[in-house]
């Protein structure tokens, strides 16, 4: 190899920027590899990208080589030639030509290249030496920091951080992107004893995961209390106590049996309400009939009259007709609906004073919403029914308004149903999917007991009695019961808000890609707290505020549903970051990089999927989280100028095409 450049100004520069060791004791470096790298970049500019994917200019031990390397990148980035003549002119204009050894040294570097085809290999040697030097430097700093009496804690932390950043670690097997994390089990213990015992007993008898009975239990409470109670969160913020919930389990999981066991008391309560209303309905029907007959007779009499008495008879007929028109017959009480059309559900909501629950062990309701019968998607009643926004119902004879509709939905479907509805852009675009609580429990099929314990009779009786009592106690409320929060409960909810808010960020937030859903999480948590409060205090719950323990239980349920929602939305294809991460992984495998800069990686990607460099960040973060790459930010070599750009070190299995 050729000798080092003449000792011009750089001849007095110490390699380690301040060290004084003789050359035989110099830190790890390879002069020949450094010369081959910069020489190859001048000789064959097409290797510049390969070298840049492996090392940065700061990896050189000799400052002259770092300066030359950086200048080559600057010229190449401007689309200019990087041969010795052009590069020499550029270095002369910037005033550093003599510092790097002059034009003769540039030509010497080109002549010293064994073969430009091995440029990336030479670069790996240089980078490896640089990593060793940084490790030595980091270790020295740690020792010096520990030995210096006036070292502050901040100085020591900085030295330790540098050591952690510079010492390369070993690679573990990456986690597949399609890997579904183990989801938490349903926290049955958050329920009051009578409900927790029944949920656990039904799960045991049917040999199904408690998630199924537990999620349906929340839907049952919402069906009993929805439209009849609201949670006063703070200020003008009120949350109704209706919910949308869906459990996804595959076939042969006895969903219908669990569904029947959980919703049975609601049907019994509905029968009791019908029985109680029967007398009022008959009386009202007779009153309306008699009033109409009287109005008809008065109209006929007025029509046949003549002379001065006609005006009086007409006025009397009009009065009787108006009185008959003002009379109404109470509708037959309904708590539940199944596969009804949106139009029928809207009518039932109007008739039932705004309260209704759609409960089904199948997913057919989604097909109906999508327009199975009408050919046009109609989700207005579901959107407004969840939020409590005013709903207008058009009838042939008149229009009706539901000031605060409270629609509850409790569904048990197969996972394939969720995949299908995820493909319906209208569901997501209008926000319907964001209104559901999702549970995706693990099936017990193949691991079930053959002779499980049945539900104890006292446990079943207590559940049926309490659900029926709660439903009937709120049935006659016209203005909803307002449930207040204690100061401690409000404080617990605020702490939860502070924890969730940063996770909603579109870039880097854990819940950023499901922002529509997660943005409703705090409100839904308040709703759950209200339902748990009603279940805990069956007698006069509206006279007691919601306590901190109840709010804490609601937050635990919210965390459960959050973990499950993330997996469900991934199943529905809502995670754009994961789709981009797969594209990114394919690009990394195709190019076989050991490391690559963000700029060079971005250059290999489609602008339609990655419009800006910033769009890389969520996908890169996901690959890093799964162990496919590591972000390596070289330490600063000085206090001035822009900090070194991060590089991505790629897992060997990716480079070798094993993923």
């Amino acid at each position: 190899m050729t000798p080092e450049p003449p000792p011009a100004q750089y001849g007095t520069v110490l390699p380690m920027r301040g060290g004084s060791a003789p050359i035989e004791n110099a830190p790890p470096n390879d002069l020949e590899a450094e010369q081959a790298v910069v020489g190859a970049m001048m000789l064959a500019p097409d290797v510049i990208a390969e070298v840049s994917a492996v090392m940065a200019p700061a990896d050189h031990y000799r400052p002259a080589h770092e300066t030359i390397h950086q200048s080559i990148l600057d010229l190449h980035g401007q689309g200019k030639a990087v041969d010795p003549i052009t590069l020499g002119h550029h270095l002369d204009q910037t005033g550093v030509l003599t510092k790097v050894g002059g034009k003769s040294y540039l030509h010497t570097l080109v002549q010293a290249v064994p073969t430009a085809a091995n440029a990336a290999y030479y670069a790996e040697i240089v980078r490896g030496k640089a990593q060793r030097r940084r490790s030595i430097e980091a270790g020295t700093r740690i020792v010096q920091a520990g030995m210096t009496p006036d070292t502050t804690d901040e100085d020591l932390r900085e030295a330790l951080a540098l050591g952690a950043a510079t010492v390369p670690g070993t690679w573990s097997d990456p986690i597949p992107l399609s890997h579904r994390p183990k989801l938490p089990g349903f926290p049955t213990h958050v329920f009051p004893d009578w409900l927790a015992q029944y949920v656990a007993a039904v799960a045991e008898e049917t040999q199904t995961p408690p998630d199924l009975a537990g999620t349906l239990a929340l839907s049952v409470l919402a069906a009993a209390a929805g439209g009849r109670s609201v949670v006063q969160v703070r200020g003008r913020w009120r949350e109704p106590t209706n919910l949308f919930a869906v459990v996804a389990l595959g076939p042969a999981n006895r969903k219908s049996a669990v569904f029947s066991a959980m919703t049975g008391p609601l049907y019994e309560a509905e029968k009791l309400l019908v029985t109680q209303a029967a007398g009022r309905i008959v009386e009202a029907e007779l009153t309306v009939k008699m009033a109409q007959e009287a109005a008809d007779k008065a109209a006929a009499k007025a029509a046949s009259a003549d002379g001065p008495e006609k005006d009086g008879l007409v006025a009397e007929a009009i009065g009787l007709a108006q009185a008959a028109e003002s009379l109404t017959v109470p509708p037959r009480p309904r708590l539940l609906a199944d596969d009804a059309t949106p139009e029928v559900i809207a009518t039932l909501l109007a008739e039932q004073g705004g309260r209704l629950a759609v409960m089904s062990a199948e997913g057919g309701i989604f097909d109906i919403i999508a327009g199975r019968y009408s050919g046009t998607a109609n989700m207005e009643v579901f959107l407004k029914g969840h939020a409590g926004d005013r709903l207008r119902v058009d009838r042939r004879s008149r229009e009706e308004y539901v000031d605060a509709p409270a629609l509850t939905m409790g569904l048990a479907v197969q996972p394939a149903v969720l995949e299908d509805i995820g493909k319906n852009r209208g569901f997501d675009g209008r926000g319907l999917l964001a209104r559901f609580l999702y549970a995706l429990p693990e099936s017990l099929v193949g691991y079930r007991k053959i002779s499980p314990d049945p539900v104890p009779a006292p446990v079943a009786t207590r559940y049926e009695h309490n659900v029926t009592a709660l439903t009937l106690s709120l049935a006659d409320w016209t203005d909803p019961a307002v449930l207040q929060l204690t100061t401690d409960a409000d404080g617990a909810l605020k702490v939860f808000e502070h924890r969730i808010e940063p996770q909603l960020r579109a870039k880097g937030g854990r819940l950023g890609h499901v922002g529509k859903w997660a943005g409703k999480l705090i409100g839904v948590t308040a709703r759950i707290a209200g339902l748990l409060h009603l279940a805990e205090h069956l007698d006069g719950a509206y006279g007691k505020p919601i306590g901190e323990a109840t709010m804490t239980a609601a937050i635990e349920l919210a965390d459960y549903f959050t973990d499950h929602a993330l997996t469900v939305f991934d199943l529905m294809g809502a995670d754009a970051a994961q789709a981009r991460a797969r594209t990114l992984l394919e690009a990394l495998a195709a190019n076989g990089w050991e490391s690559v800069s963000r700029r060079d990686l971005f250059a290999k990607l489609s602008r339609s999927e990655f419009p800006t460099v910033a769009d890389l960040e969520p996908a890169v973060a996901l690959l890093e989280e799964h162990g496919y790459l590591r972000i390596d930010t070289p330490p600063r070599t000085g206090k001035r100028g822009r900090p070194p750009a991060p590089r991505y070190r790629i897992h060997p299995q990716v480079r070798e095409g094993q993923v």
Side-chain angles (χ1 to χ4, degrees), residues 75-251:
L75 286 174
H76 186 67
Q78 298 170 18
K80 297 179 181 179
V82 290
D83 57 78
I85 296 175
T86 307
L87 180 59
H89 179 68
H90 173 75
L91 293 169
D92 190 31
Q93 284 187 323
T94 55
V96 294
L97 180 59
T98 57
K99 296 179 182 180
V100 301
K103 292 183 179 180
S104 62
Y105 187 63
L106 300 181
H107 288 281
T108 302
L109 290 173
V110 173
Q111 295 170 5
V113 179
T115 171
N118 291 338
Y121 175 72
Y122 307 144
E124 289 180 2
I125 295 174
V126 175
R127 183 181 60 83
K129 298 293 185 182
Q131 286 182 334
R132 288 179 176 273
R133 291 196 305 275
R134 289 171 187 146
S135 298
I136 293 171
E137 185 177 359
T140 301
R141 290 188 181 183
I142 293 173
V143 171
Q144 290 176 343
M147 297 294 292
T148 303
D150 58 350
T151 296
T152 65
D153 290 344
E154 185 62 30
D155 292 336
L156 190 56
R157 280 194 293 270
E158 183 178 354
L160 291 170
L162 177 62
T166 54
V167 178
T170 58
W171 292 95
S172 301
D173 289 340
I175 302 171
L177 282 175
S178 58
H179 173 74
R180 179 183 295 177
K182 184 172 180 59
L183 295 173
F186 192 89
T188 309
H189 63 272
V190 302
F191 287 144
D193 289 344
W194 65 270
L195 188 53
Q197 291 171 8
Y198 186 71
V199 167
V202 169
E204 166 66 20
E205 179 181 280
T206 59
Q207 286 298 286
T208 54
D211 313 56
L212 178 57
T215 302
L216 290 176
L218 279 176
S219 298
V220 168
L221 293 177
R228 300 298 186 267
S229 60
V230 297
V231 177
Q232 177 68 44
V233 183
R234 65 185 72 107
R236 297 186 180 182
W237 180 8
R238 288 186 173 184
E239 288 288 344
T241 52
N242 56 303
L243 292 174
F244 284 11
V246 56
V247 188
L249 264 175

Side-chain angles (χ1 to χ4, degrees), residues 194 198 261 264-266 268-269 457-470:
W194 65 270
Y198 186 71
L266 289 176
E268 293 302 316
V459 172
T461 300
R462 190 181 181 194
Y463 171 77
E464 293 164 1
H465 173 270
N466 287 346
V467 171
T468 302
L470 178 63

